[in-house]
Amino acid sequence: MNYLSIKDIDSLENWVKEARDLKQDPLKYKQLGSDKTIGLLFFNPSLRTRLSTQKAAQQLGMNCMVMNFDKEGWALEYGNGIIMDQGKSEHVKEAAQVISQFCDIIAIRAFAGLEDKELDKAEVVLSGFVKYASVPIVNMESSVGHPLQALADAITLEEDSVRIKNKKPKVVLSWAPHPKALPHAVANSFIEMMQRQDAEFVITHPEGYELDPEIVGESTVEYDQNKAFKGADYIYTKNWSSFREYGKVTSKDASWTISEEKMALTNKGRFMHCLPVRRNVVVNDEVLESGHSLVIQQADNRTYAAQIVLKKILETL
Ligand code: CP
């Protein structure tokens, strides 16, 4: 069993419930992972994913090896039949098989390059390891998705939504400005997760920031952010670069920054963001530090999202 996308969850409701049970008793399955090793391979930086996945593995009794592949590993080649006389020292075919001898599970973070849409959609790093490793693979954020984050967000929504009575929660995914070009992975997985929820779900962004239509599908898109925020119970904020003009920052419109005035349009809405977040660019200090911000709870739930994924995989080994 791999965990590559939200689609690998058979019942989101059950997984969220099991994760919440684990949160109450994190060491209940401490024996499950004894004598098992997870290797965490980072091709990009991380705070939450790295520490929460290690913590989850430790709580399941696993050993954990971490490698900052971008700095410490050989540069990998992924193509077939390549004459490797340039900068790449090792092929994923050997690397994946070798790491599989040391690890029972391999988890990988490899962001989109944001230069070649088709290359990013092909998920060359993740799919290379899936193809050539002989152990389960976990996606710790790839070009296209961040399913551990989305599962943590589902847990957070479930925990918080007890306050909402007699109606479906209204959840808004809002683009916000950012100085750098960022990938689409968090937004993509959040959309895929919300499409499985019993909620009113709206995506809002400036024109030109449409996400991959294959992922957005029938989800509602509203270009007027103020209109989208009206009556919202949750504002999930994320920047992403243009998908159409692939990887480009076509607008840094500061009027899309999440402010107290924007939040006042909502139904006492809670602010959500995966972190890290740029203060007073994506969201103002007052919103981030308010009692309506769920960002620290979201980060906490990364542990239980990772733990339920690892538990499910360990049960198959
Ligand atoms: N949200 C998230 O994935 O955080 P890190 O990039 O710090 O791991």
Side-chain angles (χ1 to χ4, degrees):
M1 175 191 170
N2 295 320
Y3 185 66
L4 305 178
S5 95
I6 283 290
K7 294 187 182 79
D8 290 319
I9 298 176
D10 52 9
S11 166
L12 183 58
E13 191 182 344
N14 288 347
W15 282 43
V16 167
K17 184 185 177 314
E18 286 183 57
R20 293 185 68 191
D21 290 345
L22 277 174
K23 193 171 179 178
Q24 297 307 313
D25 191 0
L27 300 180
K28 185 172 179 184
Y29 298 95
K30 181 83 180 169
Q31 297 308 314
L32 187 62
S34 63
D35 301 325
K36 295 281 192 286
T37 298
I38 184 169
L40 309 186
L41 310 184
F42 286 92
F43 292 82
N44 302 98
S46 170
L47 187 162
R48 281 142 289 272
T49 305
R50 178 172 176 150
L51 298 184
S52 64
T53 310
Q54 282 192 64
K55 175 115 179 151
Q58 286 163 2
Q59 290 181 161
L60 290 164
M62 301 185 79
N63 299 310
C64 190
M65 299 197 292
V66 184
M67 187 166 178
N68 296 318
F69 223 98
D70 55 336
K71 298 181 188 72
E72 299 160 357
W74 300 111
L76 295 186
E77 176 59 62
Y78 298 92
N80 272 322
I82 304 291
I83 298 169
M84 290 173 55
D85 61 354
Q86 299 295 314
K88 308 287 177 64
S89 304
E90 179 160 23
H91 203 283
V92 68
K93 292 183 186 186
E94 286 76 52
Q97 290 179 72
V98 169
I99 297 167
S100 298
Q101 296 176 124
F102 307 141
C103 300
D104 302 282
I105 300 173
I106 301 173
I108 296 168
R109 164 164 283 200
F111 290 172
L114 292 178
E115 286 176 5
D116 182 332
K117 186 189 284 189
E118 295 315 314
L119 196 69
D120 285 345
K121 283 190 90 166
E123 298 272 35
V124 287
V125 180
L126 195 67
S127 60
F129 276 89
V130 169
K131 189 165 181 187
Y132 298 112
S134 55
V135 300
I137 303 293
V138 173
N139 180 354
M140 296 194 296
E141 188 172 345
S142 65
S143 300
V144 175
H146 195 355
L148 286 174
Q149 180 66 53
L151 181 53
D153 297 334
I155 297 166
T156 309
L157 284 168
E158 181 67 21
E159 286 176 339
D160 188 80
S161 63
V162 290
R163 71 189 170 82
I164 296 166
K165 308 270 188 265
N166 305 324
K167 75 173 192 88
K168 289 182 186 181
K170 180 176 179 183
V171 181
V172 177
L173 170 63
S174 179
W175 180 93
H178 196 282
K180 290 172 63 179
L182 296 190
H184 311 96
V186 170
N188 287 345
S189 289
F190 188 76
I191 291 169
E192 290 179 324
M193 183 275 288
M194 284 309 307
Q195 287 167 341
R196 295 174 64 164
Q197 298 278 17
D198 189 21
E200 182 187 350
F201 179 52
V202 178
I203 305 167
T204 186
H205 55 72
E207 290 195 41
Y209 274 100
E210 291 78 9
L211 287 155
D212 185 347
E214 287 179 25
I215 290 172
V216 173
E218 300 299 311
S219 293
T220 302
V221 176
E222 169 57 64
Y223 293 112
D224 182 335
Q225 191 192 37
N226 290 344
K227 199 168 160 189
F229 275 36
K230 287 214 175 95
D233 299 295
Y234 297 94
I235 302 297
Y236 193 100
T237 306
K238 186 71 187 79
N239 170 269
W240 57 86
S241 55
S242 174
F243 182 74
R244 197 188 302 157
E245 291 183 59
Y246 194 66
K248 298 275 183 297
V249 176
T250 56
S251 164
K252 297 180 190 174
D253 186 349
S255 73
W256 281 73
T257 298
I258 311 301
S259 62
E260 282 183 309
E261 293 74 32
K262 299 263 178 198
M263 292 303 290
L265 298 170
T266 69
N267 177 31
K268 298 190 176 73
R270 299 319 192 229
F271 175 79
M272 298 179 75
H273 190 284
C274 64
L275 301 181
V277 70
R278 297 221 181 198
R279 283 170 171 255
N280 305 307
V281 178
V282 172
V283 56
N284 287 350
D285 287 337
E286 298 74 30
V287 175
L288 194 60
E289 293 173 9
S290 77
H292 285 186
S293 173
L294 299 180
V295 298
I296 305 302
Q297 187 176 334
Q298 285 175 263
D300 184 32
N301 283 330
R302 291 295 308 274
T303 299
Y304 308 103
Q307 200 166 332
I308 192 63
V309 168
L310 297 183
K311 175 177 175 285
K312 297 274 183 195
I313 294 173
L314 286 169
E315 285 168 345
T316 68
L317 297 181

